[in-house]
Amino acid sequence: MSLLLSTWSFSRPEHESAFARLGPGADPLDAAMHVAEAVEADPEVDSVGYGGLPDASGGVSLDALVMRSPAEHGSAIALTQVRRAAAAARLVMEKSPHRILAGPGADTFAMQHGLPAEEMLAPAARERWEAWRNDPNQDPGQRPWDSGLGRLYRNEGGHDTVCVLAQNDQGLAGVCTTSGMPWKAPGRVGDSPIPGAGLYVHPRYGAATITGTGELVIGNCASFSVVESMRQGAEPSRAIAHLLELVLAEQPVKPEDQLGVIAISPDGHWAAGSLRPGFKYVVTDEQGTRVDSPELVIVDEPIPETAS
Ligand code: SD4
């Protein structure tokens, strides 16, 4: 039984072709990478890879993590030359003796292993950064709202990350890749490339990954916490609910904050949940591909008019 699950409707286009890579004996990480790399290469996705909005100084920096197990994972953090952040993270996992490389060393390592240095700032992202720099108070923070059409309704305060989980007869694998928060302080690192924060995969207990405000995720070791709940016997939806309730109980949460979580148990049960309405996920299984909103939404809020 194969399964492919990812965050936000912009991850929809390559779902079928990625699912086709989940046949018997295939590496589930290849399927997850296929979805993640397509989003990274899309200049219209303004939160991942090329197209990602820059930091406050106008520089794009990308973070990614790939994971199969506590013994097999790799992170590339604060890449400023290599667009293919997920591929760089996979190289760290497969070709280095380390788990995490950051900054110029991460770029150099990726380039030594064949990834090209490329322009990181897409023209549209540059324009939006220039507009923000000229008027930083425009469009005060608002979280992204997924209309399900492959593009998010959003403004400058929103941000969103592609997180992908894949499962087949070989087990589980995950990828999480992002340009982080738009207009972030240079040097800021979010949850996405931190194992146990933005993504955690354990072959025996399950996998979970998260998009949203990284600052709410890191201190709760959020994806680890979801997998840990599953280890203790919780179904994925209960494990996600527990995490989101914990975040709400323990931290001040702003109206523009959002968290979207997806999780798979080793026996193939899966769930999605979010802190607030507006999050969508994509799933492909034997029944086909669907873009959907999670049933589990912790904070009940009206749909903003601008999102319809
Ligand atoms: C971060 N979690 O850098 C990422 C961004 C994100 O939805 O996922 N936004 O905090």
Side-chain angles (χ1 to χ4, degrees):
M1 182 83 156
S2 302
L3 182 62
L4 189 64
L5 200 54
S6 62
T7 54
W8 305 111
S9 63
F10 57 51
S11 64
R12 165 77 182 79
E14 291 300 321
H15 250 250
E16 274 96 4
S17 54
F19 189 75
R21 292 164 195 242
L22 281 173
D27 181 350
L29 186 57
D30 289 337
M33 292 288 295
H34 188 69
V35 172
E37 291 216 81
V39 178
E40 283 180 345
D42 183 345
E44 288 189 39
V45 176
D46 62 9
S47 52
V48 181
Y50 184 55
L53 294 172
D55 66 22
S57 72
V60 174
S61 64
L62 305 179
D63 302 327
L65 161 63
V66 304
M67 187 159 187
R68 282 202 188 94
S69 73
E72 257 194 302
H73 58 93
S75 299
I77 298 183
L79 296 165
T80 58
Q81 297 186 74
V82 171
R83 271 187 210 166
R84 293 178 56 198
R90 186 172 188 170
L91 284 169
V92 173
M93 180 177 86
E94 292 178 347
K95 306 276 186 208
S96 90
H98 309 300
R99 307 278 201 236
I100 300 178
L101 291 179
D107 278 307
T108 303
F109 178 81
M111 290 187 285
Q112 281 167 346
H113 287 83
L115 296 182
E118 293 177 276
E119 173 57 52
M120 300 289 267
L121 187 60
R126 178 188 297 278
E127 266 176 39
R128 287 174 62 187
W129 172 70
E130 283 168 355
W132 171 80
R133 191 187 42 176
N134 293 335
D135 181 9
N137 293 323
Q138 59 162 350
D139 258 352
Q142 197 165 350
R143 65 182 192 275
W145 190 282
D146 194 337
S147 62
L149 300 175
R151 294 284 172 267
L152 303 189
Y153 156 75
R154 57 180 296 154
N155 67 18
E156 314 309 345
H159 50 102
D160 33 81
T161 289
V162 66
C163 307
V164 192
L165 300 177
Q167 185 176 42
N168 69 352
D169 65 350
Q170 299 301 297
L172 286 159
V175 180
C176 188
T177 175
T178 190
S179 57
M181 200 178 264
W183 331 141
K184 63 192 173 186
R188 179 258 186 196
V189 174
D191 59 314
S192 305
I194 310 296
L199 166 69
Y200 192 72
V201 181
H202 194 293
R204 289 196 303 284
Y205 307 132
T209 182
I210 299 182
T211 173
T213 311
E215 281 70 6
L216 293 178
V217 171
I218 295 170
N220 281 99
C221 303
S223 57
F224 175 81
S225 147
V226 173
V227 174
E228 174 60 16
S229 293
M230 292 194 286
R231 186 183 72 80
Q232 292 177 16
E235 281 292 312
S237 63
R238 184 58 222 143
I240 292 172
H242 177 67
L243 179 264
L244 292 172
E245 283 157 7
L246 198 70
V247 170
L248 265 185
E250 290 185 352
Q251 305 189 49
V253 174
K254 298 191 291 295
E256 64 269 28
D257 286 326
Q258 173 63 300
L259 294 175
V261 190
I262 53 178
I264 303 181
S265 64
D267 59 4
H269 290 116
W270 62 271
S274 63
L275 197 58
R276 296 198 161 92
F279 170 63
K280 280 193 166 56
Y281 63 91
V282 188
V283 59
T284 304
D285 57 16
E286 314 302 336
Q287 273 81 57
T289 299
R290 288 91 68 199
V291 177
D292 218 339
S293 303
E295 277 175 28
L296 174 69
V297 178
I298 299 292
V299 180
D300 196 17
E301 282 178 352
I303 297 173
E305 267 175 39
T306 36
S308 52

